[in-house]
Amino acid sequence: ITAVKDNPVITGGKVVRTVFNEAQPGSLLDDSLTILDEDDVNLDKAIITVSTNFIQTDSLFFSTAIPGGITSSYTYGINGDSLILTGSDTITNYVTALRLAKFRNTSVDPTDNNTKTHRIVTIQVRDVGSDNRGKSWSNLLSRNVQVNASSDPPEITLGKTVNSIYFEGDAGTLIDDSLTLADKDDIELDRAEI
């Protein structure tokens, strides 16, 4: 009898899109996903990656402790950071850990000027290959994270430290010739009132 290699199957449980709002501490990716494997009871690796619309202030993390037989590490990448889980442990424990995974963005402009209003985060697991047919990877589970930015108002800073003086008959005087404008999440303004 020759065993056939059966890949693990990861299935999403969450049927609504994950929502992350600016300044929020983090949003669970999928707190009800499931994993099945016909010929293995243990897994030895999982990879969670921000695969689409990644920006440098995105991160993946666990807000609470994961099962002790699993170790997590973080890989920084220009095309998307990855949270990597390793260690031979039960499917149940891997499911517990993956259900605790969260997404967050620490920027004041998490949508990059409304050009990246969502992220795709992928999750994949690998079994230990206990059937002596080699380790095998699961399907790739994709989770869609909607990212909502809040409006940060522009800030004006006075530059002039002395009062402007106007004398009758003068052509005019500058109100403030060294003020500065800043906006955390916009690069253009459309109106100013004096």
Side-chain angles (χ1 to χ4, degrees):
I1 297 172
T2 303
V4 175
K5 186 183 338 184
D6 296 298
N7 293 31
V9 176
I10 184 168
T11 305
K14 204 170 191 177
V15 294
V16 294
R17 180 184 290 192
T18 297
V19 176
F20 173 79
N21 296 311
E22 182 180 332
Q24 185 178 341
S27 297
L28 289 167
L29 295 171
D30 192 331
D31 57 0
S32 54
L33 62 79
T34 58
I35 300 171
L36 295 174
D37 195 320
E38 297 292 335
D39 57 6
D40 279 293
V41 293
N42 283 4
L43 302 174
D44 73 352
K45 192 167 191 174
I47 300 175
I48 309 168
T49 304
V50 181
S51 60
T52 303
N53 287 338
F54 171 76
I55 61 177
Q56 294 296 323
T57 48
D58 288 344
S59 66
L60 301 165
F61 69 102
F62 297 107
S63 59
T64 57
I66 60 175
I70 302 170
T71 302
S72 67
S73 61
Y74 206 79
T75 301
Y76 297 90
I78 195 162
N79 295 319
D81 289 2
S82 294
L83 185 58
I84 300 171
L85 305 179
T86 55
S88 180
D89 207 340
T90 64
I91 290 174
T92 300
N93 282 347
Y94 265 88
V95 167
T96 298
L98 292 171
R99 287 179 175 181
L100 295 171
K102 288 186 172 185
F103 168 87
R104 75 174 159 214
N105 182 286
T106 56
S107 171
V108 293
D109 183 17
T111 62
D112 197 17
N113 285 309
N114 285 325
T115 61
K116 296 180 178 180
T117 56
H118 78 284
R119 309 289 193 278
I120 300 295
V121 177
T122 58
I123 304 170
Q124 192 171 31
V125 299
R126 184 179 71 184
D127 65 26
V128 296
S130 60
D131 57 5
N132 295 319
R133 303 281 297 165
K135 299 178 180 184
S136 55
W137 285 97
S138 72
N139 56 303
L140 208 59
L141 176 67
S142 294
R143 303 285 79 188
N144 196 332
V145 181
Q146 178 181 323
V147 180
N148 298 325
S150 57
S151 181
D152 299 303
E155 298 173 358
I156 186 167
T157 304
L158 300 178
K160 206 168 191 179
T161 58
V162 296
N163 291 332
S164 297
I165 299 174
Y166 172 77
F167 295 102
E168 184 180 345
D170 282 353
T173 188
L174 293 171
I175 296 171
D176 191 334
D177 59 355
S178 55
L179 65 82
T180 57
L181 293 171
D183 196 314
K184 295 175 181 175
D185 58 4
D186 279 299
I187 55 173
E188 295 179 353
L189 300 174
D190 72 349
R191 184 173 177 169
E193 291 184 14
I194 301 174

